Amino acid sequence: MKRKRISAERLLERIASLAISGDESAVGTILHEVLSLLMVGIDADIGQINLLPKSGPVEKLFIIKDKKPWLRDGMGLHPFDPQGGFTGRVIQSGKSILVEDIWSKTFQGEPNPFLQIRQEMNDEYVQEIKKPTASIIIVPIKRGGSTFCTIELSRYRGREPYNQSEKELVDDFAQKYGPLFMNYIIDIKNRVAINTAHRKLASLSRFIATDTIVNFRDAIGAYQKLSSADIGYGFFKTGGLSTSNVRLVAWFGDEVMEVFLQDFVASSDSVLSDGSDITYPVEGKADDRRLIRFRNRISTYPGLKQKERDFIIKCNDHIKSYVIYPLHMLSQDLGAVVLGSRRPKFEPFLKMQPFLSLYNSLFKSFLLNERVARHLSIISHQIHNPGFYCLASLKGTLVKKFPEVYCDPEVSKALVGLEVLLSSLHEQGLILKRRQKNIQLLKWLSAYISQLRASNPHLIINLCIEDNNLINKKVTGTYEQLEDIFENLFTNSTRSIIARQQQEDTVIGKIDINVELKGKTIIITFQDNGLPYKTVSGRGWPQVLSIMEALGGKIYKEENPYLVKLVFNIINTNGRE
């Protein structure tokens, strides 16, 4: 008699097309298909998949309840503690487990591991996922002998509990197909991680050596997204070498707050101390001396608003374990990033995954460059005005009182050399200032779209130019401003296309960019074939609007059909609008 099994051949035929977008929505689609297949195979009511990498987010990836996705953003469930409960047993043993009643006081003659961690679990999760269920099967998915994922399937209380043959069905599926499916998932998540780190670093790099302030709230986004930390701090030293100002960015889940700590002199043994020799990650736990000392300082620190003080203390009081990563490069103490968790003994899971580690290394370089640029700019301006003032005064005095000295060739040569030096220093300082240029917009846009096509082969990106006279028309601005605008629009279109593809998987994404000449303006229309998406993602609509205003242009949204219209002012050859 042929043994029954759960077949995945049809899903294997579809998975490549599901994975092509490389977006997080593809992760959800594949997980939904895999879980649905298993749940039908053994008649489960609830299913979930947990990812347990050695670095990076330890998370509940997907949960299906009554044939519908249940897990959503903002539930505080994605990072969880894989060391306890029945999942902990599966990870430690590397073997699957069958439980007839998860609410029984004992399991195999020992205290029930689920009941031991019940009080630490999310109440909403317990009420809606655990309370109605009784029998569960948890199976490990392994890579290189190590469990990096678990699948949990549950039945409601009152139904027949699972039996050994059903457990074997899931075991067989996990061994045969589990690593294959999860490698697809991890590959997509890695691509998402690369894109996340790239976007954050590209954004930061535009601020380096300019007069624009680094957006630290945006900078810590990669640490939130690519680590298992659900609480964290970013300490960034600002100001001159002799000052002790710190810009602190704290986050608790998705909530982020930035505060300025003036004259925040670090303790002698602090990671933030200039005299510190700590350049390696430092681990800690709840109520240790570092957390207590920081809490005490914040509770009495002058200049903080009450809501800022309360938020930082809330973050501090919920940290049960943490790892501090000093931002240290070339003997420069630039600050520190603290990755914290509400879970005790969670330090091993707060290690940075490869892409976050790369981001962290490059981020330190950007911070160092930003500090150098600021100091050089300050030095240049400090020398320039007083220097020329003193030189002019010296010349005037020599001409008045010692004209023969002023006319001496050696003195004249020295004065000319000094003037050249001061002028050179001034020119070097100008390098560090953001300067607008006259940009041939169509040439820039064509090159930008070519790059988008190369990196997004699954999308059709059309560029339509309605007037050949556009080719040499120029606008005033910076390349960074243009990149910010079009990256937001492109990201917005990509998300709207994916939203439609989730409903119609045969739809091929298309973006139409139309450029026309109207009077003394260039009008660019940006439209896609996705579902309406009300907000521009990334920096957000207000930021895109402010950039267009800074360029002297305008931006409009239309709803039916949804499109974005950009209006740029053309400049003539002498630079006037």
Side-chain angles (χ1 to χ4, degrees):
M1 180 174 156
K2 191 174 180 180
R3 183 182 175 189
K4 182 182 175 183
R5 67 188 182 92
I6 300 173
S7 176
E9 276 71 19
R10 281 191 178 182
L11 182 54
L12 286 171
E13 293 173 2
R14 296 186 58 230
I15 196 169
S17 62
L18 292 174
I20 195 169
S21 73
D23 189 89
E24 282 188 330
S25 62
V27 173
T29 303
I30 296 171
L31 290 171
H32 190 279
E33 296 276 351
V34 172
L35 263 184
S36 297
L37 184 67
L38 283 168
M39 291 173 72
V40 170
I42 65 166
D43 193 20
D45 297 304
I46 298 176
Q48 61 182 301
I49 296 182
N50 304 320
L51 185 62
L52 318 160
K54 293 194 173 177
S55 59
V58 174
E59 55 187 327
K60 294 184 182 296
L61 280 180
F62 208 78
I63 299 178
I64 293 179
K65 180 182 180 183
D66 299 328
K67 300 181 180 179
K68 295 180 180 179
W70 183 84
L71 189 62
R72 62 185 183 276
D73 288 338
M75 295 182 74
L77 289 172
H78 288 276
F80 74 107
D81 189 349
Q83 301 171 106
F86 289 114
T87 298
R89 292 218 175 175
V90 171
I91 294 169
Q92 291 165 15
S93 66
K95 298 178 181 178
S96 60
I97 199 168
L98 188 158
V99 184
E100 291 191 359
D101 184 3
I102 62 170
W103 294 94
S104 174
K105 290 185 178 180
T106 59
F107 176 73
Q108 297 179 348
E110 298 179 5
N112 184 330
F114 165 70
L115 296 181
Q116 289 179 327
I117 63 170
R118 157 67 189 89
Q119 297 303 318
E120 300 172 11
M121 299 172 71
N122 180 281
D123 287 335
E124 184 179 2
Y125 175 72
V126 172
Q127 289 299 317
E128 296 192 29
I129 300 299
K130 291 299 184 181
K131 192 172 182 180
T133 61
S135 184
I136 64 167
I137 293 173
I138 305 177
V139 297
I141 295 177
K142 299 179 181 180
R143 185 168 54 185
S146 176
T147 299
F148 72 101
C149 177
T150 62
I151 299 176
E152 181 177 332
L153 302 164
S154 310
R155 273 185 185 162
Y156 288 148
R157 185 180 292 105
R159 297 190 60 202
E160 189 72 21
Y162 287 119
N163 56 47
Q164 189 63 27
S165 63
E166 290 169 319
K167 174 174 168 291
E168 290 172 0
L169 277 177
V170 185
D171 273 332
D172 179 67
F173 179 93
Q175 291 170 12
K176 188 174 293 184
Y177 302 111
L180 177 63
F181 286 125
M182 291 312 301
N183 282 334
Y184 265 108
I185 296 298
I186 289 174
D187 177 60
I188 296 170
K189 288 180 73 64
N190 283 344
R191 276 185 275 166
V192 171
I194 290 174
N195 290 336
T196 299
H198 173 263
R199 283 196 303 271
K200 299 297 182 186
L201 290 171
S203 175
L204 283 168
S205 66
R206 292 171 189 154
F207 297 124
I208 305 308
T210 71
D211 54 357
T212 305
I213 298 172
V214 172
N215 186 337
F216 290 115
R217 289 171 65 98
D218 187 56
I220 60 93
Y223 297 99
Q224 285 180 286
K225 192 174 184 63
L226 304 180
S227 77
S228 284
D230 47 7
I231 306 173
Y233 296 123
F235 295 90
F236 306 106
K237 291 190 173 183
T238 61
L241 293 173
S242 59
T243 60
S244 301
N245 300 330
V246 171
R247 195 161 293 280
L248 169 64
V249 183
W251 76 88
F252 190 98
D254 294 328
E255 190 178 358
V256 182
M257 184 175 290
E258 181 177 351
V259 301
F260 181 69
L261 303 176
Q262 188 169 8
D263 298 325
F264 188 83
V265 180
S267 303
S268 59
D269 61 340
S270 170
V271 174
L272 294 175
S273 171
D274 285 325
S276 173
D277 59 355
I278 300 176
T279 59
Y280 46 85
V282 177
E283 297 182 1
K285 58 184 180 180
D287 298 328
D288 66 10
R289 61 182 175 82
R290 294 184 189 274
L291 290 182
I292 292 173
R293 182 171 62 197
F294 181 59
R295 189 191 195 283
N296 291 338
R297 290 194 68 178
I298 290 298
S299 64
T300 59
Y301 207 79
L304 288 178
K305 298 176 182 176
Q306 192 58 44
K307 66 176 183 179
E308 294 173 338
R309 198 184 313 277
D310 291 344
F311 183 74
I312 297 171
I313 289 175
K314 180 178 81 167
C315 294
N316 195 86
D317 290 350
H318 279 83
I319 292 177
K320 302 300 180 190
S321 52
Y322 66 86
V323 179
I324 303 175
Y325 293 88
L327 299 172
H328 184 278
M329 180 168 278
L330 297 181
S331 299
Q332 296 290 317
D333 297 299
L334 307 166
V337 172
V338 181
L339 301 182
S341 175
R342 284 173 280 186
R343 295 154 183 83
K345 301 179 181 178
F346 206 64
E347 297 91 338
F349 301 99
L350 294 172
K351 306 300 181 186
M352 291 187 183
Q353 54 112 299
F355 299 113
L356 184 56
S357 181
L358 174 62
Y359 174 88
N360 189 64
S361 298
L362 292 174
F363 182 42
K364 289 189 290 187
S365 299
F366 286 148
L367 290 174
L368 182 58
N369 286 342
E370 199 262 348
R371 171 180 281 187
V372 171
R374 186 193 303 117
H375 289 318
L376 286 177
S377 180
I378 292 170
I379 291 168
S380 169
H381 287 88
Q382 284 177 337
I383 289 176
H384 176 249
N385 290 335
F388 273 108
Y389 178 81
C390 292
L391 181 61
S393 178
L394 177 61
K395 283 182 176 180
T397 302
L398 287 174
V399 168
K400 259 186 180 184
K401 295 187 176 182
F402 308 102
E404 68 282 359
V405 175
Y406 181 76
C407 295
D408 186 282
E410 290 188 14
V411 174
S412 297
K413 184 179 179 181
L415 291 173
V416 169
L418 183 57
E419 186 169 358
V420 169
L421 175 61
L422 291 171
S423 298
S424 175
L425 285 170
H426 180 55
E427 286 299 316
Q428 296 300 316
L430 290 178
I431 293 173
L432 307 176
K433 301 293 289 183
R434 179 193 291 267
R435 288 180 290 175
Q436 291 192 327
K437 301 179 70 174
N438 296 335
I439 300 170
Q440 291 180 307
L441 182 59
L442 191 57
K443 288 185 177 180
W444 177 88
L445 185 60
S446 298
Y448 182 79
I449 291 172
S450 295
Q451 184 177 331
L452 285 181
R453 286 173 179 154
S455 56
N456 297 274
H458 55 287
L459 294 176
I460 297 171
I461 305 176
N462 297 319
L463 176 62
C464 178
I465 303 163
E466 295 192 358
D467 193 322
N468 291 330
N469 292 321
L470 278 163
I471 192 69
N472 293 316
K473 299 300 181 184
K474 296 182 179 181
V475 300
T476 300
T478 68
Y479 296 118
E480 292 81 8
Q481 287 172 317
L482 295 179
E483 286 174 11
D484 279 341
I485 292 167
F486 284 94
E487 279 180 10
N488 271 282
L489 296 178
F490 178 73
T491 302
N492 183 53
S493 288
T494 303
R495 290 184 177 178
S496 68
I497 289 168
I498 290 169
R500 183 178 176 189
Q501 288 173 335
Q502 288 178 324
Q503 299 181 12
E504 308 170 58
D505 56 10
T506 59
V507 169
I508 297 175
K510 186 174 72 166
I511 298 174
D512 293 316
I513 302 170
N514 186 72
V515 188
E516 62 178 309
L517 182 63
K518 189 172 183 180
K520 296 182 179 180
T521 62
I522 298 173
I523 299 177
I524 300 177
T525 304
F526 204 99
Q527 186 174 12
D528 58 65
N529 66 338
L531 294 177
Y533 202 88
K534 293 184 179 180
T535 59
V536 176
S537 55
R539 286 178 166 271
W541 182 260
Q543 287 77 14
V544 175
L545 184 62
S546 68
I547 294 173
M548 285 301 297
E549 288 177 349
L551 294 174
K554 294 180 181 179
I555 183 169
Y556 305 95
K557 284 188 294 186
E558 296 181 12
E559 297 296 334
N560 293 307
Y562 184 89
L563 58 86
V564 175
K565 189 175 288 186
L566 304 162
V567 181
F568 293 89
N569 291 319
I570 298 172
I571 59 169
N572 60 24
T573 53
N574 62 14
R576 293 180 180 175
E577 291 188 4

